[in-house]
Amino acid sequence: MNRYIESETLELKERYTDTISKEIVSFLNSSGGTILIGIKDDGTVIGVNNIDEVLRKISDIITAQIEPNPQDEITSELKFDEGKTIIAINIKKGQNHIYCQKKYGFSSAGCTIRIGTTCKEMTSEQIKIRYEKKFIDTEYMLKKRANFSDLSFRELKIYYSEKGYHLEDKSYESNLNLKNDAGEYNLLAELLSDRNNVPFIFVKFKGKNKASISERSDYGYGCILTTYGKIKNRLQAENICISNTTIRPRTDIYLFDFDCVNEAILNALVHNDWTVTEPQISMFCDRLEILSHGGLPNGMTKEQFFDGISKPRNTTLMRIFLNMGLTEHTGHGIPTIVEKYGKEVFEIQSNYIRCTIPFQKEVMEQINNENVGLNVGLNVGLNKTEKKVIEILIENTSVTSAELAEKIGVTKRTIERAFKSLQEKKIIERIGSKRDGNWIVIK
């Protein structure tokens, strides 16, 4: 069996041709790879005779025919196999966002990308997005103007106050980088504002694919810290627990490891390219998928990603999550997930990262997944009103006692008693003052 087989990262060339410049550009615009000259498509080694001339032509391509100059990303070496000489061109993923063949410029003909074992021309939209990123830093969200000019930050101030910080009205917008150089609110400000136009969809599907939706909930259009709280509450509620009481001490088995899912959600929020769109969370009958946009931050390798080296795409947003105690700048999140589920749960592409958390089979076997609702452990010892209060609070943390009473069909006094009972059971807590704060589910 031949040892050389073409793949997404390996190109075999029987002999040198000028099309090698196209293949080099494709690898630079993708995840890197190797071109072996002197090997047929079927893996047969034939070697290279005019070695010096071929090396000279390769050098000319690298130094004069590709833009930007990729010299730091490419090395050439000689290999020997079956008594024959092979030339290997080793190409790293480009440090720049986009490369092209100079003679075609930044057009579809000039900008190619490696897909499978072939080189594909990039679309004009792909070229436009990558080309624009040449002129911006990794925190483009600080420069991109918000969709609204009239933003308020009441919830953000409450969160900071709860953590012992005091935001000065005259300086907090500047200190938190909420405005761009033109003095306009930026995309970061929009994400942190009380009301915005950014959705955050949680979708449940009935089976193993997206053929049939069973539920669609939107937790966005508000402060991203509140959005995170809602999503966290919802996933806690979905994390069904099966208890084995026939042994002592009893054992609890959950549908999924919540710490791992929480780390995946935090990474999706903090490292997402918000200039593209919001992250997506999909729940199937056998797994949970968390997808964020933008791929790996520029300059980060997969090895660094799995080793937990922290290189946030949105540094300022990360700092705010750090201030809130929601995440740590230690890089332990990805290693935590890998230790529990393995590297294979991550799908890393140039424009997105998907984390797929499989459900515990023992729990799946005992529960009808179509009826998964509030965590069964959460329901123990709660009356009908308390259960309904929790369900509504997961969807809307700012709902009032009067609104709850109307939704559930009970008196306001009954709702207040439910709040008191749930507080005593440490299931909910109040964030902020009685007048301006919100209730959140903490268990």
Side-chain angles (χ1 to χ4, degrees), residues 16-27:
Y16 171 87
T17 64
D18 291 337
T19 60
I20 284 179
S21 62
K22 177 180 179 180
E23 276 130 9
I24 292 175
V25 167
S26 298
F27 281 129

Side-chain angles (χ1 to χ4, degrees), residues 74-91:
I74 303 174
T75 58
S76 298
E77 62 177 325
L78 300 180
K79 292 179 175 289
F80 303 95
D81 196 348
E82 299 180 10
K84 301 179 178 67
T85 303
I86 302 168
I87 296 178
I89 308 173
N90 301 308
I91 307 148

Side-chain angles (χ1 to χ4, degrees), residues 29-308:
N29 284 330
S30 306
S31 300
T34 299
I35 300 173
L36 296 180
I37 304 174
I39 302 178
K40 290 185 176 182
D41 289 343
D42 64 3
T44 303
V45 178
I46 62 173
V48 179
N49 294 322
N50 51 340
I51 297 173
D52 290 340
E53 182 182 352
V54 172
L55 288 174
R56 180 183 58 77
K57 290 180 177 180
I58 293 171
S59 177
D60 179 64
I61 288 174
I62 296 171
T63 57
Q65 297 184 33
I66 297 175
E67 184 181 353
N69 189 308
Q71 283 179 279
D72 292 338
E73 283 77 55
I74 303 174
T75 58
S76 298
E77 62 177 325
L78 300 180
K79 292 179 175 289
F80 303 95
D81 196 348
E82 299 180 10
K84 301 179 178 67
T85 303
I86 302 168
I87 296 178
I89 308 173
N90 301 308
I91 307 148
K92 297 179 182 178
K93 178 180 180 180
Q95 294 184 22
N96 291 284
H97 293 288
I98 189 168
Y99 293 80
C100 72
Q101 297 178 72
K102 279 187 178 181
K103 62 181 179 180
Y104 298 116
F106 290 99
S107 64
S108 292
C111 301
T112 52
I113 191 168
R114 184 82 171 181
I115 299 178
T117 59
T118 61
C119 301
K120 297 289 186 182
E121 293 184 354
M122 297 172 68
T123 66
S124 57
E125 182 64 20
Q126 287 175 314
I127 294 171
K128 179 176 181 293
I129 292 172
R130 288 198 180 206
Y131 190 78
E132 287 178 348
K133 285 185 176 180
K134 289 174 58 181
F135 307 104
I136 58 177
D137 56 26
T138 53
E139 285 209 86
Y140 184 46
M141 66 189 313
L142 301 184
K143 297 183 179 182
K144 181 177 172 59
R145 185 176 62 183
N147 291 312
F148 303 107
S149 58
D150 184 19
L151 300 178
S152 62
F153 304 95
R154 180 183 64 85
E155 291 184 24
L156 181 64
K157 292 179 180 179
I158 290 173
Y159 283 115
Y160 268 88
S161 177
E162 289 291 323
K163 293 297 179 181
Y165 298 100
H166 177 67
L167 296 182
E168 294 286 347
D169 289 338
K170 294 182 179 180
S171 60
Y172 79 91
E173 291 181 350
S174 174
N175 291 338
L176 296 180
N177 295 324
L178 302 184
K179 290 188 175 181
N180 59 24
D181 293 339
E184 305 163 318
Y185 282 124
N186 54 29
L187 178 55
L188 175 64
E190 187 167 2
L191 288 174
L192 293 167
S193 64
D194 298 324
R195 293 290 179 269
N196 55 47
N197 198 35
V198 182
F200 199 101
I201 309 298
F202 174 86
V203 184
K204 288 182 70 175
F205 296 94
K206 289 184 178 180
K208 294 183 179 181
N209 56 43
K210 296 184 177 181
S212 180
I213 295 177
S214 65
E215 185 181 346
R216 180 183 184 277
S217 303
D218 195 335
Y219 298 103
Y221 301 106
C223 178
I224 190 174
L225 298 175
T226 301
T227 293
Y228 164 69
K230 291 178 180 179
I231 288 293
K232 184 178 179 181
N233 290 341
R234 176 58 186 267
L235 291 173
Q236 283 178 320
E238 295 286 358
N239 197 13
I240 299 300
C241 174
I242 298 297
S243 298
N244 184 352
T245 58
T246 63
I247 59 175
R248 292 290 184 271
R250 78 175 194 181
T251 59
D252 294 330
I253 305 175
Y254 287 87
L255 189 62
F256 51 82
D257 186 290
F258 184 78
D259 289 340
C260 289
V261 169
N262 187 50
E263 291 294 342
I265 297 296
L266 286 168
N267 273 281
L269 290 171
V270 173
H271 300 291
N272 184 65
D273 186 348
W274 290 92
T275 64
V276 178
T277 189
E278 70 282 351
Q280 300 166 14
I281 302 177
S282 304
M283 187 173 184
F284 300 85
C285 68
D286 62 344
R287 68 193 187 279
L288 192 67
E289 291 185 358
I290 301 105
L291 184 143
S292 61
H293 301 276
L296 294 177
N298 190 36
M300 174 176 276
T301 65
K302 289 184 180 181
E303 289 74 19
Q304 291 172 332
F305 175 82
F306 287 122
D307 286 344

